[in-house]
Amino acid sequence: MKRFIGFVTKEFYHIFRDRRTMFILFGMPIAQIMLFGFAITNEINNVNIAILDQSKDTETQKIINKINASQYFNIEQEISSESQIESVFKKGKVKAVLVFENHFIKNLQTKKQAKVQVITDATDPNIANTITNYVNAILQNHTQEINKNNPSNYQIQTQTQLYYNPELKSVYNFVPGVMTIILMLVSAMMTSISITREKELGTMEVLLVSPLKPFQVIIGKVFPYVFLSIINATIIILLGFFVFKMPIEGSLFLLAFESILFIISALSLGILISTISNSQQTAMMISLMGLMLPVIILSGFIFPISSMPKAMQIISNIIPAKWFIIIIKAILLKGASIAVIWKETLILLGMTVFFIALSIRQYKIRLE
């Protein structure tokens, strides 16, 4: 019995002294429950909206104040004409515009009804539906309040208008998201595993002492995945266009440029992972847990980032997939030009340069 207890004690000792095992046992469950607990929600909070108040009377101001006071919406800006709505949506800062008709309070008092138009950015159909439902609930609550001490049965009617996806097709949201995940999977994970395989088998040292320079070895290893990722991206776009009737409103050249930029960014992440991994298993685990889960959860593909806690929103800013999804949706559905998405493009470019520089530094340290 003593031998058995000693054997079990030894096994516990081996587990506790291995940092990677401890991370898998305790670190990953904690990280996953935090991610899923805080990030996964179908509710909306602090969604940016714009207001077009054509009446500017006391009643519309009361409604605007009530909407702004709710936890669901944040009034990003007030616009002065309907011609500004398109440009506001293209910039991507707001998800909805509320339009109050002319003579709102006069129509309410004389005709017993007034109208509010709810215009939503329907590139994400679920968020568009949720925004409309929340606005309707706030307006109904306000109507009940003004009818409480008034014999007149006032009504505030809502008219809904959907931009970019009037049929609320979910495929318009999933094609960009799936494209992002596949490019990240092929580019980052496969690259990290490919390079780590050479290290694990001991052939990387042979390649590094060959006539080829180190950077040529790395470029040679990742170039096939650039080519394969471009083919994957092309297939996804063609399937989306011909099979699911997804529009391509913007420039194909700009779409190709942004896709290649994201592919290079993902490849640089894969190279970075390979510098800190000594086995294929470790590289795969880091790729799946460190890249795939954040891409799915924190990129805004499925769950609205604005509804997450501030800490999660800050973390989401360092995920290249978030910016690529914004870019590709703007090009495909909104027909955005580089003048509209230049900030997101610069952020993605900056991340790519940073990952490449960090990977080069890590390789230099390992070679020394």
Side-chain angles (χ1 to χ4, degrees):
M1 189 65 181
K2 287 184 179 179
R3 290 178 181 176
F4 177 73
I5 293 173
F7 178 75
V8 172
T9 304
K10 179 181 73 68
E11 288 301 313
F12 270 110
Y13 174 73
H14 282 309
I15 292 171
F16 288 140
R17 75 175 183 176
D18 189 341
R19 292 182 179 178
R20 284 183 298 182
T21 303
M22 291 297 291
F23 175 74
I24 294 170
L25 286 172
F26 298 107
M28 284 190 179
I30 293 172
Q32 286 185 8
I33 196 66
M34 295 295 286
L35 276 174
F36 281 83
F38 283 117
I40 296 181
T41 175
N42 290 322
E43 300 174 357
I44 61 169
N45 291 296
N46 301 314
V47 173
N48 290 333
I49 63 172
I51 300 292
L52 173 55
D53 187 358
Q54 297 174 323
S55 183
K56 297 187 183 298
D57 55 47
T58 55
E59 199 62 37
T60 59
Q61 193 58 51
K62 286 180 183 178
I63 296 173
I64 291 170
N65 290 338
K66 180 169 288 189
I67 289 171
N68 198 32
S70 73
Q71 64 180 21
Y72 309 120
F73 302 110
N74 173 51
I75 297 177
E76 174 72 17
Q77 65 183 104
E78 294 190 16
I79 58 178
S80 55
S81 66
E82 293 184 1
S83 61
Q84 293 178 272
I85 295 175
E86 180 80 18
S87 61
V88 164
F89 277 137
K90 279 193 174 182
K91 290 178 182 177
K93 290 184 178 180
V94 302
K95 291 293 183 182
V97 177
L98 303 189
V99 182
F100 293 88
E101 65 177 353
N102 274 318
H103 311 298
F104 186 91
I105 194 169
K106 182 180 178 181
N107 291 338
L108 198 62
Q109 292 172 347
T110 57
K111 301 178 182 178
K112 308 301 181 185
Q113 66 178 24
K115 295 176 182 178
V116 177
Q117 190 177 22
V118 183
I119 306 174
T120 56
D121 178 350
T123 52
D124 190 326
N126 294 327
I127 294 178
N129 271 327
T130 306
I131 288 173
T132 303
N133 292 335
Y134 281 19
V135 170
N136 282 333
I138 293 172
L139 293 176
Q140 286 177 7
N141 178 262
H142 182 75
T143 305
Q144 289 173 359
E145 287 181 2
I146 61 178
N147 284 332
K148 188 179 293 183
N149 300 318
N150 196 319
S152 302
N153 190 21
Y154 293 136
Q155 291 183 349
I156 300 177
Q157 297 180 342
T158 57
Q159 295 178 335
T160 305
Q161 186 176 348
L162 305 170
Y163 267 45
Y164 309 119
N165 186 8
E167 297 177 6
L168 290 175
K169 291 183 177 180
S170 59
V171 71
Y172 287 11
N173 182 49
F174 281 102
V175 167
V178 170
M179 179 176 172
T180 304
I181 291 173
I182 290 175
L183 291 182
M184 183 65 76
L185 180 68
V186 173
S187 302
M189 190 170 77
M190 297 307 295
T191 300
S192 64
I193 292 172
S194 173
I195 296 175
T196 308
R197 186 191 302 120
E198 300 287 356
K199 292 165 59 178
E200 192 175 6
L201 295 175
T203 54
M204 180 59 79
E205 287 74 11
V206 177
L207 291 171
L208 291 175
V209 297
S210 68
L212 291 172
K213 294 180 179 180
F215 79 91
Q216 291 177 321
V217 173
I218 300 301
I219 292 174
K221 293 293 295 182
V222 303
F223 184 78
Y225 295 106
V226 175
F227 181 70
L228 293 172
S229 298
I230 291 172
I231 292 175
N232 271 321
T234 304
I235 290 172
I236 292 168
I237 294 296
L238 290 175
L239 286 174
F241 181 74
F242 289 108
V243 178
F244 299 108
K245 308 302 179 185
M246 184 166 182
I248 303 177
E249 300 291 345
S251 165
L252 287 174
F253 176 79
L254 182 59
L255 178 62
F257 169 77
E258 298 289 354
S259 299
I260 292 172
L261 178 60
F262 178 68
I263 288 168
I264 295 172
S265 178
L267 286 170
S268 62
L269 269 174
I271 296 170
L272 182 60
I273 291 170
S274 71
T275 64
I276 58 176
S277 305
N278 294 318
S279 67
Q280 297 178 66
Q281 184 179 6
T282 304
M284 182 177 292
M285 190 172 300
I286 294 174
S287 297
L288 287 173
M289 301 304 299
L291 294 180
M292 296 308 297
L293 275 179
V295 166
I296 295 171
I297 297 174
L298 297 177
S299 65
F301 165 37
I302 299 176
F303 309 105
I305 294 175
S306 60
S307 301
M308 299 177 189
K310 283 293 181 183
M312 290 289 187
Q313 293 183 34
I314 293 171
I315 293 171
S316 72
N317 290 328
I318 62 173
I319 297 173
K322 169 190 173 179
W323 305 106
F324 182 64
I325 287 177
I326 293 172
I327 289 169
I328 195 171
K329 280 186 177 180
I331 295 172
L332 291 177
L333 300 176
K334 301 179 182 180
S337 64
I338 190 65
V340 174
I341 56 174
W342 67 270
K343 289 183 180 179
E344 290 81 5
T345 303
L346 282 180
I347 291 171
L348 194 56
L349 181 61
M351 288 182 175
T352 304
V353 172
F354 174 76
F355 293 143
I356 291 173
L358 193 58
S359 299
I360 292 172
R361 181 176 178 274
Q362 289 297 319
Y363 263 107
K364 284 182 177 178
I365 292 172
R366 292 182 72 91
L367 289 173
E368 290 172 357

